[in-house]
């Protein structure tokens, strides 16, 4: 990039304020302004990062790229404004509230030659980047993901655990398993603040996902069972472990015959780095080079469609009764 890229942020709440921070830190990126429905919040964030609190129209006229971090219900309107002004947009997850709106945005962005990227930040977690390099050589059997924690402090979350938390793991899952979904089952508790889902792909790969905002322990893990190994990822620690078994053998020690079957653990090198900075740097590069974003609008739409399906099943409370009632003796 020879010319500085002008960036704006729409919505500077809990996530958008970090977008403003990162843009202000990226080389060759000029944060031209932030906008929020709460003017005082916008002014505070602007002061912190050496920019201005501006109206949306003014920002759209000046910006080359923008982050859309407003509440999900406003994603469609704000993203459409970006497209109409030729501004490349990174839209925070979930991409849209209604898949029909997402399809319309994709068509309009394509016609206007505007880059759309969806903010699924875990794709830019260094551990997931390392995992993606490993997965290409694996015969995957099953995937298990757990994203658990207590209720967030200091902010209210209207979205269910599926749309707020599990959606991250749905995106990672769909990026790892390049196949169509065959079936979905889900259960929810406490108004879907706790939810679990079982997903089967046409290839036979199965996945179990659990998300919770009522668990008094923070867990962010993903495991892959493959034909010749098990791969464990810790999103928080940004670590990857590959577990393999050696060939079992009998050994003689001091005249005694012993059986040994060791487990071999490989720990690939994982590059360090802030996922959000990786994400925005990648977005700016895609926008300025007309490249394909790591997480496209089509990716984001597919994730929304599956997440809404899981959320609906978990919230429905429908249960299939056992054919035979079993009574304790």
């Amino acid at each position: 990039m020879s010319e500085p890229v002008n960036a704006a942020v729409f919505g500077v709440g809990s996530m958008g304020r970090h977008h403003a921070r990162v843009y202000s830190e990226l080389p060759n990126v000029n944060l031209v302004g932030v906008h929020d429905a709460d003017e005082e919040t916008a002014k505070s964030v602007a002061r912190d990062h050496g920019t201005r609190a501006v109206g949306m129209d003014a920002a759209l006229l000046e910006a080359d790229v923008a982050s859309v971090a407003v509440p999900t219900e406003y994603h469609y309107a704000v993203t459409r404004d970006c497209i109409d002004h030729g501004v490349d947009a990174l839209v925070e997850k979930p991409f849209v509230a209604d898949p029909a709106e997402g399809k319309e945005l994709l068509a309009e962005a394509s016609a206007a030659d505007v880059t759309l990227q969806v903010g699924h930040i875990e794709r830019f977690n260094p551990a997931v980047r390392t995992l993606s390099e490993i997965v290409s050589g694996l015969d995957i059997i099953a995937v298990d993901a757990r994203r658990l924690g207590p209720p967030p402090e200091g902010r209210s979350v209207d979205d269910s655990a599926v749309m707020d938390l599990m959606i991250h793991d749905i995106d990672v899952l769909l990026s790892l398993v390049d196949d169509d979904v065959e079936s979905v089952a889900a259960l929810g508790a406490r108004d879907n603040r706790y939810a679990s889902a079982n997903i089967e792909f046409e290839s036979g790969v199965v996945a179990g996902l659990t998300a919770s905002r009522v668990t008094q322990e923070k867990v962010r893990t993903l495991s892959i069972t493959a034909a010749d190994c098990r791969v464990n990822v810790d999103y928080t620690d940004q670590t990857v472990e590959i577990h393999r078994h050696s060939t079992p053998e009998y050994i003689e020690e001091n005249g005694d015959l012993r059986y040994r079957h060791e487990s071999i653990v490989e720990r690939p090198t994982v590059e360090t780095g802030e996922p959000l900075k990786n994400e925005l740097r990648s977005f700016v590069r895609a926008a300025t080079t007309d490249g394909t974003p790591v997480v496209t609008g089509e990716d984001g739409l597919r994730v929304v469609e599956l997440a809404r399906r899981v959320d609906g099943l978990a919230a429905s409370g429908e249960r299939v009764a056992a054919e035979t009632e079993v009574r304790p003796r």
Side-chain angles (χ1 to χ4, degrees):
M1 296 181 293
S2 56
E3 295 293 328
V5 176
N6 290 337
V9 179
F10 299 121
V12 285
S14 59
M15 192 64 188
R17 64 182 60 234
H18 291 292
H19 282 246
R21 170 183 59 81
V22 171
Y23 280 131
S24 71
E25 295 171 349
L26 289 179
N28 219 35
V29 173
N30 178 29
L31 180 61
V32 296
V34 299
H35 174 81
D36 196 275
D38 185 329
E39 293 184 9
E40 291 305 313
T41 296
K43 289 177 181 178
S44 175
V45 172
R47 284 194 300 269
D48 289 343
H49 304 298
T51 188
R52 304 167 296 154
V54 295
M56 183 173 293
D57 290 341
L60 288 170
L61 290 173
E62 197 170 350
D64 302 309
V65 302
S67 285
V68 178
V70 297
T72 306
E73 61 187 297
Y74 303 113
H75 281 189
Y76 170 77
V78 176
T79 304
R80 185 167 183 174
D81 282 343
C82 289
I83 294 170
D84 289 343
H85 286 79
V87 176
D88 300 308
L90 184 147
V91 187
E92 264 300 340
K93 64 84 184 169
F95 177 31
V96 285
D98 181 350
E101 294 177 341
K103 292 175 183 178
E104 185 177 332
L105 290 177
L106 293 179
E108 293 180 355
S110 177
D113 196 24
V114 165
T115 298
L116 285 186
Q117 179 168 319
V118 180
H120 284 289
I121 194 171
E122 291 291 22
R123 292 269 209 110
F124 298 88
N125 187 312
V128 175
R129 287 182 160 186
T130 299
L131 176 66
S132 64
E133 297 173 359
I134 297 169
V135 163
S136 60
L138 297 182
D139 178 8
I140 298 176
I141 298 170
V143 180
D144 177 77
R146 298 167 62 81
R147 191 170 294 264
L148 318 173
E153 295 182 6
R155 68 183 181 98
S156 62
V157 179
D158 295 329
D159 288 336
S160 68
V162 175
M163 300 306 295
D164 183 44
L165 299 174
M166 189 186 291
I167 194 168
H168 288 290
D169 297 308
I170 290 174
D171 172 65
V172 172
L173 173 66
L174 294 181
S175 75
L176 297 175
V177 183
D178 185 18
D179 195 13
D180 292 329
V181 173
E182 174 74 19
S183 65
V184 180
L187 296 173
R190 299 296 177 92
D191 297 323
N192 271 15
R193 288 182 290 166
Y194 184 101
S196 63
N198 291 317
I199 299 170
E200 183 179 5
F201 292 87
E202 289 185 352
S203 62
V205 174
V206 295
L209 311 180
T210 304
S212 171
R213 286 204 304 268
V214 293
T215 301
Q216 297 304 316
E217 179 189 10
K218 187 174 181 179
V219 178
R220 300 285 190 272
T221 60
L222 181 141
S223 298
I224 294 177
T225 296
D228 61 350
C229 67
R230 177 178 171 86
V231 184
N232 294 329
V233 174
D234 190 306
Y235 289 107
T236 304
D237 294 342
Q238 297 184 1
T239 58
V240 178
E241 291 184 345
I242 305 172
H243 293 254
R244 306 181 192 273
H245 281 292
S246 63
T247 304
E249 61 180 341
Y250 287 93
I251 60 173
E252 185 176 342
E253 293 182 358
N254 300 322
D256 295 328
L257 191 64
R258 300 179 183 277
Y259 175 82
R260 181 173 68 185
H261 196 167
E262 295 180 337
S263 178
I264 300 172
V265 181
E266 303 171 18
R267 295 181 175 85
T269 300
V270 177
E271 295 182 2
T272 59
E274 180 187 0
L276 183 59
K277 187 164 287 188
N278 292 338
E279 179 181 55
L280 295 188
R281 185 185 293 114
S282 176
F283 165 57
V284 171
R285 185 183 304 115
T288 54
T289 63
D290 291 326
T292 301
V294 173
V295 186
T296 64
E298 288 80 4
D299 293 335
L301 180 59
R302 188 182 180 205
V303 171
V304 165
E305 290 173 335
L306 182 53
R308 281 167 55 93
R309 187 176 172 189
V310 169
D311 201 34
L313 289 169
S316 69
E318 294 181 2
R319 303 291 184 270
V320 178
E323 293 183 1
T324 304
E325 184 177 2
V326 179
R327 299 179 182 273
R329 294 181 178 180

